[in-house]
Amino acid sequence: MRVVFMGTPDFSVPVLEALARDHEVVCVYSQPPRPAGRGKKDRPSPVQARAEALGLPVRHPVSLKTPEAQAEFAALNADVAVVVAYGLILPQAVLDAPRHGCLNIHASLLPRWRGAAPIHRAIMAGDAETGICIMQMEAGLDTGPVLLRAAVAIGPEETTGALHDRLSLMGARLIGEALARLPALVPEAQPEGASYAAKIDKAEARVDWAQSAVQVDRLIRGLSPFPGAWCEVAGERVKLLASRVVPGAGAPGQVLHGLTVACGAGAVEITLAQREGKKPMAPGDFLRGFTLPERLG
């Protein structure tokens, strides 16, 4: 098939690689390079960097709303466009241009967690499972009918980073199956009961030890590795990147032993933490030469 690929972050890269291996990727669309690093020099997105390494043509328009951009897209004469975490709204003219339309790879079991941060929100909400949906795109936000779906259990100590990597590979496999079965697949309308995965606000990231251990643990794992849940330790902001719920009781924020901290109900053991300017460390390394106060802020 003649495929247009549209994606931007690391999550999208395995999909691009799978499509390039099995199909003719006629063009790759990605977000424009952004300033990054200490020098704030423009850095191409992970998708652009990988596409260029594969020798694929790349476009990064600021908008697809202009007649010129839409004409350029239509001129690619694509059989299908595959979209995963691209970052631009696709106008109807773009959605209609490929012969089989535009297919989106979404990292949730739609209609649960439509929107920007489905992996984070699934863990933060304590969902037992999530998955991948291959969706026929339409003008609404993740509202289109679903062609294929696959579910996966969320591990009891799994972080967003680990689940992100698993779902990325699952998406690459499932879109391959979907393209192989087009146009025989029958789109199924999403049922009622949608929930929305709002973009993560950094203001959500501070740990409130008065919450239950279950809630604190979900926050820590759901925000790891980015933006990272955090607390104050002796006036220093420390990121908490992995945890588990453990037996224990005390005043909220009280350090019971090691990196085990009491919550409003129960306790959490921090299994990976990061001081400012340091690398993430397991409890033994973190506590070496660093004395915790009796209570964390």
Side-chain angles (χ1 to χ4, degrees):
M1 280 192 174
R2 288 177 59 85
V3 178
V4 173
F5 181 74
M6 311 178 84
T8 297
D10 289 318
F11 185 84
S12 311
V13 171
V15 180
L16 172 60
E17 292 173 336
L19 292 173
R21 184 173 60 247
D22 299 328
H23 297 275
E24 181 187 1
V25 178
V26 294
C27 191
V28 172
Y29 280 70
S30 192
Q31 286 285 295
R34 308 286 193 210
R38 292 183 178 179
K40 296 298 181 184
K41 295 182 179 179
D42 281 353
R43 180 182 297 173
S45 73
V47 162
Q48 179 178 343
R50 187 64 184 128
E52 290 175 346
L54 292 169
L56 300 173
V58 178
R59 296 176 182 172
H60 36 72
V62 175
S63 170
L64 291 168
K65 295 180 179 180
T66 66
E68 294 78 11
Q70 293 172 14
E72 288 176 352
F73 185 88
L76 293 168
N77 194 29
D79 294 312
V80 67
V82 173
V83 184
V84 51
Y86 175 38
L88 281 185
I89 293 174
L90 305 190
Q92 195 64 47
V94 171
L95 295 174
D96 294 340
R99 188 158 59 95
H100 295 294
C102 298
L103 304 185
N104 178 248
I105 301 172
H106 188 75
S108 80
L109 297 176
L110 293 166
R112 187 156 179 79
W113 301 130
R114 293 174 181 169
I119 303 176
H120 298 77
R121 296 298 176 189
I123 291 180
M124 292 167 71
D127 291 2
E129 66 173 10
T130 186
I132 290 289
C133 283
I134 307 298
M135 176 186 64
Q136 187 82 51
M137 294 181 72
E138 56 183 33
L141 176 64
D142 299 330
T143 58
V146 175
L147 298 174
L148 279 178
R149 67 174 65 223
V152 62
I154 300 175
E157 296 181 23
E158 193 159 26
T159 65
T160 284
L163 184 56
H164 165 284
D165 293 349
R166 287 207 292 145
L167 292 176
S168 177
L169 295 175
M170 179 183 287
R173 291 194 300 270
L174 206 62
I175 191 62
E177 180 182 346
L179 295 183
R181 294 170 60 187
L182 282 178
L185 290 172
V186 178
E188 292 187 2
Q190 295 183 35
E192 298 296 323
S195 58
Y196 291 88
K199 185 177 179 180
I200 298 297
D201 188 327
K202 289 186 178 181
E204 299 178 72
R206 183 165 188 170
V207 172
D208 178 3
W209 298 110
Q211 292 188 319
S212 70
V214 169
Q215 291 172 300
V216 171
D217 173 64
R218 289 174 181 173
L219 180 77
I220 291 169
R221 293 185 295 108
L223 297 185
S224 175
F226 181 83
W230 62 276
C231 68
E232 279 194 5
V233 180
E236 179 181 335
R237 181 180 292 201
V238 173
K239 283 188 177 182
L240 310 177
L241 299 173
S243 60
R244 62 171 69 98
V245 177
V246 295
Q254 179 183 349
V255 178
L256 301 178
H257 54 83
L259 277 180
T260 297
V261 185
C263 301
V268 293
E269 179 187 1
I270 308 304
T271 56
L272 192 67
Q274 183 178 15
R275 295 180 63 185
E276 294 177 348
K278 305 286 186 180
K279 295 180 180 180
M281 290 180 279
D285 294 326
F286 181 87
L287 293 170
R288 192 170 292 119
F290 185 55
T291 303
L292 294 183
E294 293 183 359
R295 194 165 178 174
L296 305 185

